[in-house]
PDB file of all heavy atoms in Angstrom:
ATOM      1  N   ASN A 245     -38.159 -47.163  21.059  1.00 98.00           N
ATOM      2  CA  ASN A 245     -39.265 -47.798  21.543  1.00 98.00           C
ATOM      3  C   ASN A 245     -39.406 -47.752  23.069  1.00 98.00           C
ATOM      4  O   ASN A 245     -39.504 -48.717  23.722  1.00 98.00           O
ATOM      5  CB  ASN A 245     -39.394 -49.205  21.040  1.00 98.00           C
ATOM      6  CG  ASN A 245     -40.873 -49.673  20.913  1.00 98.00           C
ATOM      7  OD1 ASN A 245     -41.685 -48.900  20.694  1.00 98.00           O
ATOM      8  ND2 ASN A 245     -41.073 -51.022  21.050  1.00 98.00           N
ATOM      9  N   LEU A 246     -39.350 -46.524  23.565  1.00 98.00           N
ATOM     10  CA  LEU A 246     -39.428 -46.304  25.029  1.00 98.00           C
ATOM     11  C   LEU A 246     -40.580 -45.402  25.397  1.00 98.00           C
ATOM     12  O   LEU A 246     -40.506 -44.619  26.348  1.00 98.00           O
ATOM     13  CB  LEU A 246     -38.137 -45.713  25.572  1.00 98.00           C
ATOM     14  CG  LEU A 246     -36.833 -46.373  25.050  1.00 98.00           C
ATOM     15  CD1 LEU A 246     -35.609 -45.621  25.444  1.00 98.00           C
ATOM     16  CD2 LEU A 246     -36.728 -47.769  25.704  1.00 98.00           C
ATOM     17  N   THR A 247     -41.644 -45.300  24.567  1.00 97.00           N
ATOM     18  CA  THR A 247     -42.705 -44.204  24.792  1.00 97.00           C
ATOM     19  C   THR A 247     -43.333 -44.307  26.133  1.00 97.00           C
ATOM     20  O   THR A 247     -43.770 -43.324  26.617  1.00 97.00           O
ATOM     21  CB  THR A 247     -43.687 -44.281  23.602  1.00 97.00           C
ATOM     22  OG1 THR A 247     -44.239 -45.603  23.528  1.00 97.00           O
ATOM     23  CG2 THR A 247     -43.140 -43.888  22.328  1.00 97.00           C
ATOM     24  N   GLY A 248     -43.408 -45.518  26.734  1.00 96.00           N
ATOM     25  CA  GLY A 248     -44.101 -45.693  28.015  1.00 96.00           C
ATOM     26  C   GLY A 248     -43.186 -45.130  29.197  1.00 96.00           C
ATOM     27  O   GLY A 248     -43.741 -45.092  30.339  1.00 96.00           O
ATOM     28  N   LEU A 249     -41.979 -44.749  28.874  1.00 96.00           N
ATOM     29  CA  LEU A 249     -41.147 -44.296  30.018  1.00 96.00           C
ATOM     30  C   LEU A 249     -41.192 -42.743  30.383  1.00 96.00           C
ATOM     31  O   LEU A 249     -40.675 -42.394  31.400  1.00 96.00           O
ATOM     32  CB  LEU A 249     -39.706 -44.761  29.739  1.00 96.00           C
ATOM     33  CG  LEU A 249     -39.466 -46.250  29.651  1.00 96.00           C
ATOM     34  CD1 LEU A 249     -37.944 -46.504  29.387  1.00 96.00           C
ATOM     35  CD2 LEU A 249     -39.827 -46.918  30.908  1.00 96.00           C
ATOM     36  N   LYS A 250     -41.809 -42.014  29.493  1.00 94.00           N
ATOM     37  CA  LYS A 250     -42.099 -40.649  29.839  1.00 94.00           C
ATOM     38  C   LYS A 250     -40.922 -39.851  30.326  1.00 94.00           C
ATOM     39  O   LYS A 250     -40.817 -39.411  31.365  1.00 94.00           O
ATOM     40  CB  LYS A 250     -43.219 -40.558  30.953  1.00 94.00           C
ATOM     41  CG  LYS A 250     -44.509 -41.190  30.523  1.00 94.00           C
ATOM     42  CD  LYS A 250     -45.084 -40.679  29.233  1.00 94.00           C
ATOM     43  CE  LYS A 250     -45.623 -39.276  29.299  1.00 94.00           C
ATOM     44  NZ  LYS A 250     -46.055 -38.853  27.952  1.00 94.00           N
ATOM     45  N   HIS A 251     -39.938 -39.789  29.459  1.00 95.00           N
ATOM     46  CA  HIS A 251     -38.704 -38.943  29.759  1.00 95.00           C
ATOM     47  C   HIS A 251     -38.288 -38.284  28.515  1.00 95.00           C
ATOM     48  O   HIS A 251     -38.257 -38.920  27.408  1.00 95.00           O
ATOM     49  CB  HIS A 251     -37.624 -39.856  30.208  1.00 95.00           C
ATOM     50  CG  HIS A 251     -36.393 -39.113  30.627  1.00 95.00           C
ATOM     51  ND1 HIS A 251     -36.253 -38.441  31.774  1.00 95.00           N
ATOM     52  CD2 HIS A 251     -35.174 -39.092  29.966  1.00 95.00           C
ATOM     53  CE1 HIS A 251     -35.076 -37.795  31.789  1.00 95.00           C
ATOM     54  NE2 HIS A 251     -34.340 -38.227  30.726  1.00 95.00           N
ATOM     55  N   SER A 252     -38.016 -36.972  28.496  1.00 96.00           N
ATOM     56  CA  SER A 252     -37.591 -36.342  27.278  1.00 96.00           C
ATOM     57  C   SER A 252     -36.602 -35.201  27.599  1.00 96.00           C
ATOM     58  O   SER A 252     -36.263 -34.912  28.776  1.00 96.00           O
ATOM     59  CB  SER A 252     -38.827 -35.692  26.639  1.00 96.00           C
ATOM     60  OG  SER A 252     -39.401 -34.673  27.467  1.00 96.00           O
ATOM     61  N   ILE A 253     -36.054 -34.646  26.460  1.00 97.00           N
ATOM     62  CA  ILE A 253     -34.915 -33.786  26.575  1.00 97.00           C
ATOM     63  C   ILE A 253     -35.254 -32.497  25.890  1.00 97.00           C
ATOM     64  O   ILE A 253     -35.862 -32.567  24.777  1.00 97.00           O
ATOM     65  CB  ILE A 253     -33.695 -34.598  25.907  1.00 97.00           C
ATOM     66  CG1 ILE A 253     -33.363 -35.755  26.801  1.00 97.00           C
ATOM     67  CG2 ILE A 253     -32.515 -33.699  25.800  1.00 97.00           C
ATOM     68  CD1 ILE A 253     -32.384 -36.734  26.095  1.00 97.00           C
ATOM     69  N   VAL A 254     -34.783 -31.441  26.493  1.00 98.00           N
ATOM     70  CA  VAL A 254     -34.979 -30.094  25.863  1.00 98.00           C
ATOM     71  C   VAL A 254     -33.683 -29.406  25.662  1.00 98.00           C
ATOM     72  O   VAL A 254     -32.851 -29.424  26.675  1.00 98.00           O
ATOM     73  CB  VAL A 254     -35.853 -29.317  26.874  1.00 98.00           C
ATOM     74  CG1 VAL A 254     -36.027 -27.798  26.327  1.00 98.00           C
ATOM     75  CG2 VAL A 254     -37.211 -29.916  27.048  1.00 98.00           C
ATOM     76  N   ILE A 255     -33.308 -28.948  24.533  1.00 98.00           N
ATOM     77  CA  ILE A 255     -31.963 -28.354  24.297  1.00 98.00           C
ATOM     78  C   ILE A 255     -32.200 -26.967  23.759  1.00 98.00           C
ATOM     79  O   ILE A 255     -32.874 -26.714  22.754  1.00 98.00           O
ATOM     80  CB  ILE A 255     -31.266 -29.207  23.204  1.00 98.00           C
ATOM     81  CG1 ILE A 255     -31.204 -30.693  23.628  1.00 98.00           C
ATOM     82  CG2 ILE A 255     -29.880 -28.595  22.973  1.00 98.00           C
ATOM     83  CD1 ILE A 255     -30.655 -31.652  22.559  1.00 98.00           C
ATOM     84  N   THR A 256     -31.501 -26.026  24.408  1.00 98.00           N
ATOM     85  CA  THR A 256     -31.407 -24.663  23.838  1.00 98.00           C
ATOM     86  C   THR A 256     -30.181 -23.955  24.359  1.00 98.00           C
ATOM     87  O   THR A 256     -29.948 -23.943  25.528  1.00 98.00           O
ATOM     88  CB  THR A 256     -32.777 -23.855  24.120  1.00 98.00           C
ATOM     89  OG1 THR A 256     -32.507 -22.557  23.526  1.00 98.00           O
ATOM     90  CG2 THR A 256     -33.090 -23.693  25.534  1.00 98.00           C
ATOM     91  N   GLU A 257     -29.567 -23.282  23.391  1.00 98.00           N
ATOM     92  CA  GLU A 257     -28.373 -22.454  23.724  1.00 98.00           C
ATOM     93  C   GLU A 257     -28.783 -21.167  24.470  1.00 98.00           C
ATOM     94  O   GLU A 257     -28.032 -20.585  25.160  1.00 98.00           O
ATOM     95  CB  GLU A 257     -27.689 -22.170  22.400  1.00 98.00           C
ATOM     96  CG  GLU A 257     -26.434 -21.289  22.563  1.00 98.00           C
ATOM     97  CD  GLU A 257     -25.916 -20.693  21.307  1.00 98.00           C
ATOM     98  OE1 GLU A 257     -26.314 -21.232  20.217  1.00 98.00           O
ATOM     99  OE2 GLU A 257     -25.080 -19.732  21.353  1.00 98.00           O
ATOM    100  N   ASN A 258     -30.140 -20.779  24.176  1.00 98.00           N
ATOM    101  CA  ASN A 258     -30.555 -19.429  24.564  1.00 98.00           C
ATOM    102  C   ASN A 258     -30.920 -19.441  26.111  1.00 98.00           C
ATOM    103  O   ASN A 258     -31.808 -20.084  26.546  1.00 98.00           O
ATOM    104  CB  ASN A 258     -31.804 -19.069  23.694  1.00 98.00           C
ATOM    105  CG  ASN A 258     -32.150 -17.667  23.923  1.00 98.00           C
ATOM    106  OD1 ASN A 258     -32.232 -17.187  25.082  1.00 98.00           O
ATOM    107  ND2 ASN A 258     -32.477 -16.905  22.884  1.00 98.00           N
ATOM    108  N   PRO A 259     -30.184 -18.662  26.911  1.00 98.00           N
ATOM    109  CA  PRO A 259     -30.412 -18.681  28.401  1.00 98.00           C
ATOM    110  C   PRO A 259     -31.826 -18.181  28.773  1.00 98.00           C
ATOM    111  O   PRO A 259     -32.381 -18.685  29.725  1.00 98.00           O
ATOM    112  CB  PRO A 259     -29.352 -17.766  28.965  1.00 98.00           C
ATOM    113  CG  PRO A 259     -28.533 -17.292  27.795  1.00 98.00           C
ATOM    114  CD  PRO A 259     -29.033 -17.747  26.583  1.00 98.00           C
ATOM    115  N   ALA A 260     -32.373 -17.292  27.964  1.00 98.00           N
ATOM    116  CA  ALA A 260     -33.706 -16.722  28.221  1.00 98.00           C
ATOM    117  C   ALA A 260     -34.740 -17.840  28.002  1.00 98.00           C
ATOM    118  O   ALA A 260     -35.737 -18.004  28.825  1.00 98.00           O
ATOM    119  CB  ALA A 260     -34.015 -15.573  27.377  1.00 98.00           C
ATOM    120  N   PHE A 261     -34.619 -18.677  27.031  1.00 98.00           N
ATOM    121  CA  PHE A 261     -35.485 -19.698  26.762  1.00 98.00           C
ATOM    122  C   PHE A 261     -35.354 -20.842  27.853  1.00 98.00           C
ATOM    123  O   PHE A 261     -36.302 -21.415  28.315  1.00 98.00           O
ATOM    124  CB  PHE A 261     -35.272 -20.463  25.369  1.00 98.00           C
ATOM    125  CG  PHE A 261     -35.466 -19.449  24.195  1.00 98.00           C
ATOM    126  CD1 PHE A 261     -35.014 -19.779  22.973  1.00 98.00           C
ATOM    127  CD2 PHE A 261     -36.224 -18.286  24.364  1.00 98.00           C
ATOM    128  CE1 PHE A 261     -35.250 -18.927  21.879  1.00 98.00           C
ATOM    129  CE2 PHE A 261     -36.421 -17.462  23.298  1.00 98.00           C
ATOM    130  CZ  PHE A 261     -35.861 -17.768  21.997  1.00 98.00           C
ATOM    131  N   ARG A 262     -34.062 -21.082  28.238  1.00 98.00           N
ATOM    132  CA  ARG A 262     -33.835 -21.986  29.377  1.00 98.00           C
ATOM    133  C   ARG A 262     -34.562 -21.570  30.693  1.00 98.00           C
ATOM    134  O   ARG A 262     -35.218 -22.345  31.366  1.00 98.00           O
ATOM    135  CB  ARG A 262     -32.396 -22.244  29.626  1.00 98.00           C
ATOM    136  CG  ARG A 262     -31.748 -23.124  28.570  1.00 98.00           C
ATOM    137  CD  ARG A 262     -30.462 -23.702  29.212  1.00 98.00           C
ATOM    138  NE  ARG A 262     -29.457 -22.750  29.595  1.00 98.00           N
ATOM    139  CZ  ARG A 262     -28.466 -22.233  28.785  1.00 98.00           C
ATOM    140  NH1 ARG A 262     -28.401 -22.683  27.464  1.00 98.00           N
ATOM    141  NH2 ARG A 262     -27.617 -21.380  29.246  1.00 98.00           N
TER     142      ARG A 262
END
Side-chain angles (χ1 to χ4, degrees):
N245 210 26
L246 309 172
T247 52
L249 294 182
K250 302 304 290 175
H251 180 74
S252 65
I253 294 166
V254 176
I255 302 167
T256 178
E257 177 191 347
N258 189 314
F261 298 164
R262 283 202 299 270

